[in-house]
Amino acid sequence: MAAPLLTFDQLFRKAVLTIHAIENYAGIRYVIHDVVSKSDIDFSGVDMIKIVAHALGARFTNTKVRPAVVSTSPTMGEMTRALSELTQLDVGFFSNTQVPCTGPKKRAEQGNTR
């Protein structure tokens, strides 16, 4: 039996909004979204726009926070990389089978553009 899909409601409404509403959010250094138990994602283009807008807004509240996603889903990896590229935020992606993928700034520093 395959693991369930990660829905926009689960990630955004139940996780992202909850994290960003934490009273001391401005002092948080890392936000880790561990979605290893999910087999794939179920987001629309509109859902991704909402996530991008919220991520950018949260970045103004805390410029030092580093978001990361832990997943074995290749689709989640691609979505995380796209979010990182689009927002120019250093969003990490980690799976149990690969080396961490850092955002565009870190990849450029490492001489790796993709």
Side-chain angles (χ1 to χ4, degrees), residues 51-66:
I51 291 171
V52 167
H54 208 274
L56 289 172
R59 183 54 133 216
F60 284 107
T61 302
N62 182 345
T63 58
K64 295 180 180 168
V65 71
R66 171 113 196 278

Side-chain angles (χ1 to χ4, degrees), residues 44-112:
S44 71
V46 172
D47 293 339
M48 282 305 296
I49 290 170
K50 290 176 186 175
I51 291 171
V52 167
H54 208 274
L56 289 172
R59 183 54 133 216
F60 284 107
T61 302
N62 182 345
T63 58
K64 295 180 180 168
V65 71
R66 171 113 196 278
V69 175
V70 181
S71 175
T72 56
S73 165
T75 305
M76 182 60 85
E78 289 303 313
M79 297 289 270
T80 302
R81 287 180 194 91
L83 174 68
S84 188
E85 296 286 334
L86 183 62
T87 62
Q88 295 297 300
L89 299 176
D90 192 17
V91 181
F93 178 76
F94 304 89
S95 77
N96 61 358
T97 60
Q98 68 186 84
V99 176
C101 171
T102 59
K105 181 179 176 183
K106 293 287 183 189
R107 285 197 303 271
E109 290 170 2
Q110 296 168 353
N112 182 1

Side-chain angles (χ1 to χ4, degrees), residues 4-42:
L5 291 174
L6 176 66
T7 66
F8 174 74
D9 186 61
Q10 289 169 322
L11 178 67
F12 188 72
R13 291 196 178 103
K14 293 184 178 156
V16 173
L17 292 179
T18 301
I19 292 166
H20 293 168
I22 293 172
E23 188 174 312
N24 66 341
Y25 179 78
I28 291 175
R29 296 299 302 255
Y30 301 95
V31 172
I32 300 170
H33 299 282
D34 182 350
V35 292
V36 170
S37 65
K38 304 298 183 179
S39 62
D40 214 340
I41 59 174
D42 184 21

